[in-house]
Amino acid sequence: MADQPKLRLGVNIDHVATVRNARGGAYPDPLRAAKIAEKAGADGITAHLREDRRHISDADIEGLMEVLSVPLNFEMAATDEMQKIALRHKPHAVCIVPEKREERTTEGGLEVAREENKLAHFIAPLREAGSRVSIFIAAEPAQIEAANRIGAEVIELHTGAYCDAFAEGRWEEADKELSKLREMSSFAASLGLEVHAGHGLTYDTVTPVAAFPEVRELNIGHFLIGEAIFLGLEPAIAEMRRLMDAARDA
Ligand code: PXP
């Protein structure tokens, strides 16, 4: 539909840093990847500074703030250390994610409903500093309502359960997860929240999510960096951009 707002693509460059850190040197350089992503049609760059610094480093965040022409979406856990870093850099957006040291990737969404008070106090200074605050949550009404109550402007719906079910051929479950994502993006938008989505998206799973009219941004990383090994980073991102635009126009 032509009158729908453009669906933004945030390219997550964490795993360029994962490859760099495997040898501890300076390459591949995540900043170079970010500049290529901009050229390929990324509307934003996403980077997750984890507590254990397993991929993105403090210096990467500093560098991204200097070189990017598109907004930085800074993913972080709700810790005092990360809050200080975010308040120093004042990135365009801050996405609050749950974080466990032992996990391989961000498993599940943030438990906003259980920690409403604490999170409301945590995000207030970030908002005052001018960052748009996004909360990474599961597609559940209680989490969405709580995110709204604490004053978040954006929610990012976790697409991992849908993508995992799809990848493992559990079609019924994939459909069920997709329906939940569809209903919850429309519920969140009805509360006035801006809706983003991401985690585990691939060329095979992106189309139905990109077609949800309420979704304004997708954040995609691991698959694109993997695909870049075969296609190159710019064509890999351009193909994702093409699929997203096609889903939107259908
Ligand atoms: N959105 C959020 C909040 C994330 O934590 C991640 C993973 O860091 C992504 C999107 C991107 O997920 P993937 O790398 O699986 O595409």
Side-chain angles (χ1 to χ4, degrees):
M1 276 164 273
D3 57 350
Q4 273 185 35
K6 187 191 177 209
L7 178 61
R8 293 194 301 270
L9 169 60
V11 172
N12 182 319
I13 54 162
D14 290 353
H15 296 297
V16 178
T18 304
V19 177
R20 175 195 60 193
N21 294 1
R23 285 291 176 93
Y27 63 86
D29 177 10
L31 268 55
R32 185 173 166 204
K35 294 308 284 179
I36 293 172
E38 282 181 352
K39 217 167 106 197
D43 303 290
I45 297 296
T46 294
H48 183 178
L49 184 66
R50 293 187 74 104
E51 188 194 5
D52 62 8
R53 309 302 199 268
R54 69 173 72 157
H55 38 57
I56 292 294
S57 68
D58 298 67
D60 292 331
I61 296 295
E62 223 153 275
L64 287 167
M65 286 301 298
E66 270 170 36
V67 306
L68 286 185
S69 325
V70 295
L72 174 67
N73 176 31
F74 177 60
E75 282 183 15
M76 57 177 238
T79 64
D80 290 345
E81 183 202 14
M82 289 300 151
Q83 191 192 49
K84 274 197 203 105
I85 295 170
L87 289 174
R88 182 148 45 84
H89 291 300
K90 300 183 178 53
H92 166 82
V94 170
C95 181
I96 314 291
V97 302
E99 202 175 294
K100 293 190 223 99
R101 263 179 188 264
E102 63 278 14
E103 69 190 355
R104 260 192 296 181
T105 180
T106 312
E107 292 163 4
L110 200 67
E111 266 299 332
V112 200
R114 223 180 331 174
E115 304 210 57
E116 213 171 304
N117 215 2
K118 186 177 147 222
L119 282 168
H121 284 99
F122 185 83
I123 69 169
L126 298 168
R127 289 196 58 189
E128 276 158 31
S131 294
R132 303 198 76 206
V133 175
S134 165
I135 311 280
F136 189 46
I137 51 175
E140 290 163 10
Q143 303 298 345
I144 293 169
E145 283 162 355
N148 188 40
R149 279 194 301 269
I150 66 169
E153 292 157 287
V154 182
I155 54 147
E156 179 164 333
L157 293 176
H158 199 310
T159 51
Y162 153 61
C163 291
D164 286 349
F166 187 96
E168 288 158 25
R170 291 180 273 119
W171 309 122
E172 241 176 74
E173 206 179 316
D175 276 351
K176 218 171 85 196
E177 291 297 334
L178 207 49
S179 302
K180 262 203 282 186
L181 289 164
R182 185 185 301 112
E183 277 166 36
M184 290 303 110
S185 36
S186 126
F187 174 58
S190 77
L191 298 179
L193 290 160
E194 182 170 309
V195 183
H196 299 178
H199 209 281
L201 290 168
T202 66
Y203 295 154
D204 291 330
T205 50
V206 75
T207 298
V209 181
F212 300 160
E214 296 86 1
V215 173
R216 301 291 305 276
E217 178 175 309
L218 297 180
N219 285 300
I220 309 179
H222 186 261
F223 173 80
L224 286 175
I225 304 308
E227 202 59 15
I229 294 170
F230 305 107
L231 303 181
L233 187 56
E234 201 174 332
I237 294 170
E239 174 61 6
M240 190 61 85
R241 175 83 265 170
R242 188 189 69 75
L243 289 167
M244 286 165 56
D245 291 343
R248 217 56 172 188
D249 289 342

